[in-house]
Amino acid sequence: MEKIRVGMVGYKFMGKAHSNAYRALPMFFPKSVVKPVMAAICGRDPEGVEQAREQFGWESVETDWRQLVKRDDIDLIDINAPSDAHKEIALAAAAEGKHLFCEKPLALTLEDSREMLEAAEKAGVKHMVGFNYRFSPAVQLAKKLIEEGRIGKIFHFRAMFLQDWIIDPNFPLVWRLQKDIAGSGSHGDLGAHLIDMARFLVGEFNEVIGMSETFIKERPLASAMTGLSAKGSAEGPRGEVTVDDATLFMTRFENGALGSFEATRFAAGHRCTNGFEINGSKGSIKFDFERMNELQVYFTDDAEDVQGFRRVLATDPAHAYMDAWWPAGHTIGFEHTFTHEVLEFMQALAEDRQPVPNFNDGVKCQEVLEAVDLSIAQRRWVSISELK
């Protein structure tokens, strides 16, 4: 396989990010054996999706994903539509033998995510879930230091994903604030990334206990929305917010480490503070995506007179992916994580293996999300094994 023809469902925030990744891959990673072909983009609004096709560089347009998945000239279905559409599209695409790339969270429920995984495995197709933050070079460096034992036995993982884009009580009721479409609020949207990061770096969860809050119960109905922006009238009709605005939880990992997690959209001044700190017996690591090219590292075996956190700028060719981009010190951004994601998928196709992270990781993330929800509802510690 030298090329794979992509059909993408969705054309707004994530649609633009994925489109940019497909276009950038051949330019910056020319040795990638499999090249993505942007065959078709799909959306319900004919005018909007046609504009996206022209802007992003897709070859054709569909306004019904059911037609898209049946096309013989499509090999891979990229799903970045709202969460309530993931399952139906993935099941239909798998039945047609299409490979699958789906944004997170994988589905609205754990049951649905397991059904998606089962369908993909039954069809024998490749499948990937979009946890793009794994693909930051600084995070890859953190993974390397942990695997090499350079920070020793891990004791603590504390993580936060803080945003502030809905603090205004008159911000409209976008789909991300409706449970029947999004599945959950900050918990599933932001917390899912933290859960995946913890699994990637530390290991599997054992048990959790959590709490959540919805600070603004009603909002003006949205007249238009795209990405994280929307329009609506403060004087117009209002609708109920049916998801959490903030969720916090603690965990014990299977390896004995302790974890704390905070996901909120009500942290004033935080646009996208997606960060973690890991403390081990030989050192510590700190990361914040707002400074995504940097990793803060501390080693206990440094000489006493120079001990302290050091800033590592993860832009040298020695760092993951960076030999493909710019000279050392010339930083990369959010969009590059998606290019690295697509690179992983193309390499997996070339090597006839499942990409990582895949639907198995999506299911495991959903197990933790729902265990936290159960904990909140029943006000108790919940073991992940209860959801197996």
Side-chain angles (χ1 to χ4, degrees), residues 110 187 195 205-210 249 364-378 380-387:
L110 175 57
H187 185 44
I195 291 166
F205 289 66
N206 183 29
E207 58 179 351
V208 297
I209 188 168
F249 72 94
K364 289 182 179 294
C365 179
Q366 199 74 43
E367 287 176 349
V368 178
L369 288 171
E370 294 202 7
V372 173
D373 286 337
L374 182 60
S375 167
I376 294 169
Q378 299 184 358
R380 67 177 178 89
W381 281 93
V382 172
S383 170
I384 305 303
S385 63
E386 294 182 40
L387 285 85

Side-chain angles (χ1 to χ4, degrees), residues 49-114:
V49 73
E50 173 56 31
Q51 181 179 345
R53 182 205 64 77
E54 183 176 356
Q55 180 181 349
F56 301 161
W58 292 83
E59 293 178 356
S60 65
V61 160
E62 292 286 352
T63 56
D64 185 343
W65 62 261
R66 295 168 183 83
Q67 296 300 317
L68 180 71
V69 301
K70 290 183 177 296
R71 282 177 48 167
D72 293 335
D73 64 337
I74 299 294
D75 307 304
L76 163 66
I77 296 295
D78 180 325
I79 308 167
N80 56 79
S83 303
D84 64 328
H86 289 184
K87 174 187 170 182
E88 188 178 11
I89 298 172
L91 295 185
E96 295 291 336
K98 313 298 187 187
H99 301 302
L100 300 166
F101 182 17
C102 185
E103 266 303 325
K104 63 81 219 165
L106 190 57
L108 293 181
T109 68
L110 175 57
E111 182 180 1
D112 285 352
S113 69
R114 286 172 172 164

Side-chain angles (χ1 to χ4, degrees), residues 176-188:
R176 284 183 169 84
L177 305 181
Q178 298 172 278
K179 186 176 179 63
D180 59 338
I181 300 176
S184 65
S186 62
H187 185 44

